[in-house]
Amino acid sequence: MMAAWKAYLQEKLITEDALQTRIKEIGAQISADYRDQDLLLLCILKGGVLFLTDLMRQITIPHEVDFLAVSSYGRAVRESTGVVRIVKDLDEPIDGRNVLIVEDIIDTGHTLNYITRNLSTRGPASVKICTLLDKAERREIDIPIDYTGFVIPDKFVFGFGLDLDEKFRELPFIGVVNPGMVAE
Ligand code: IMP
Ligand code: MG
C-alpha cells in the first residue's frame, strides 16, 4: 500500500540528511554562544517538537526545556491573524532565565510577536529565537531571529513537526504540499 502522505507530496524541499546536518550546526553554535550560561529551551507546541528533540541531542551544554502551546484564531484555514491565545502555559517562571524559543516555522510573524511580548513581561534575562524554517517573504511583523535553519519560499510545507490538518508531523523530511490535494 502507498504511504498516505505520498499523495499530498509535491516535492521534498529539505531532506532528512540536510535537516540533521543543519541542526548539528545550530546545536554547536548554541552550545558555544551559551557556554557557561543558563539555557532554557522553550518549545512551541506542537510543531516545534521534532526540531526540539533533535536539537537537544546536538547541544553539548547543560540545558532545560519547557513547553508553551498557543492557538491562533485564523482568518481562514492555514492563515494566522495574530490573535493568539495561550492554551498551555509554561510549567515554571522564567524570571532571570536565558530563554531560547524553539519554533518550527515563522510565517507572518504574528505568533512569535505575541509570544515574545508576553514572555518579556515575565522578567527573563534574555529571550532569543531559534526557528527551523523562515518563510521570510511572508513576514508582516519584523521579528529578530537569532538562529535560522532554512529560509524557504512561500509554499505550504509539512513534515518534521509541521502538520497537514494535524497529520504527518512524524515525517523525517520537509515536503511541499501538492496544491491539488488541499482546498487553499
Ligand atoms: P505566523 O504567526 O504567521 O508566523 O504563523 C506561524 C505558525 O503558522 C507556525 O507556527 C505554524 O504552526 C503555522 N504555519 C505557517 N506556515 C506553515 C506551513 O507551511 N506548514 C505548516 N504550518 C505552518
Ligand atoms: Mg507552530
Side-chain angles (χ1 to χ4, degrees):
M1 207 185 91
M2 192 174 91
W5 55 266
K6 283 193 178 162
Y8 293 91
L9 184 71
Q10 183 178 59
E11 55 166 329
K12 277 192 190 178
L13 188 64
I14 309 171
T15 64
E16 180 171 4
D17 274 2
L19 285 169
Q20 295 304 329
T21 299
R22 185 74 187 111
I23 291 171
K24 197 167 185 176
E25 290 170 0
I26 296 172
Q29 188 66 55
I30 291 170
S31 304
D33 293 351
Y34 286 87
R35 195 180 159 170
D36 298 324
Q37 291 180 55
D38 167 58
L39 173 60
L40 174 69
L41 301 179
L42 194 174
C43 176
I44 312 301
L45 295 172
K46 304 169 193 172
V49 164
L50 272 75
F51 181 34
L52 173 78
T53 55
D54 281 343
L55 187 61
M56 287 172 71
R57 284 178 276 209
Q58 300 297 343
I59 294 179
T60 54
I61 58 169
H63 58 278
E64 297 173 30
V65 295
D66 206 342
F67 298 88
L68 181 73
V70 296
S71 80
S72 52
Y73 298 101
R75 276 184 293 256
V77 179
R78 305 194 180 96
E79 277 198 32
S80 172
T81 51
V83 185
V84 178
R85 185 170 57 98
I86 291 178
V87 294
K88 184 236 166 275
D89 207 344
L90 299 172
D91 289 342
E92 303 290 338
I94 54 167
D95 52 293
R97 310 280 323 252
N98 287 330
V99 176
L100 180 59
I101 298 172
V102 177
E103 173 67 303
D104 53 359
I105 187 167
I106 305 182
D107 186 22
T108 62
H110 287 293
T111 306
L112 250 291
N113 181 56
Y114 171 83
I115 290 172
T116 51
R117 275 190 298 122
N118 180 293
L119 295 177
S120 64
T121 65
R122 307 184 192 194
S126 66
V127 177
K128 292 192 172 183
I129 296 175
C130 176
T131 188
L132 180 64
L133 306 177
D134 177 9
K135 261 189 213 176
E137 64 191 73
R138 290 259 308 163
R139 199 77 82 255
E140 290 174 10
I141 299 183
D142 190 39
I143 298 283
I145 307 176
D146 301 282
Y147 306 92
T148 303
F150 300 87
V151 176
I152 65 166
D154 179 15
K155 292 181 175 172
F156 201 82
V157 293
F158 69 106
F160 208 75
L162 294 114
D163 69 303
L164 204 52
D165 299 332
E166 290 302 321
K167 302 263 184 347
F168 310 135
R169 295 187 193 273
E170 71 279 10
L171 298 175
F173 58 85
I174 299 285
V176 176
V177 177
N178 178 354
M181 288 296 291
V182 286
E184 294 206 89

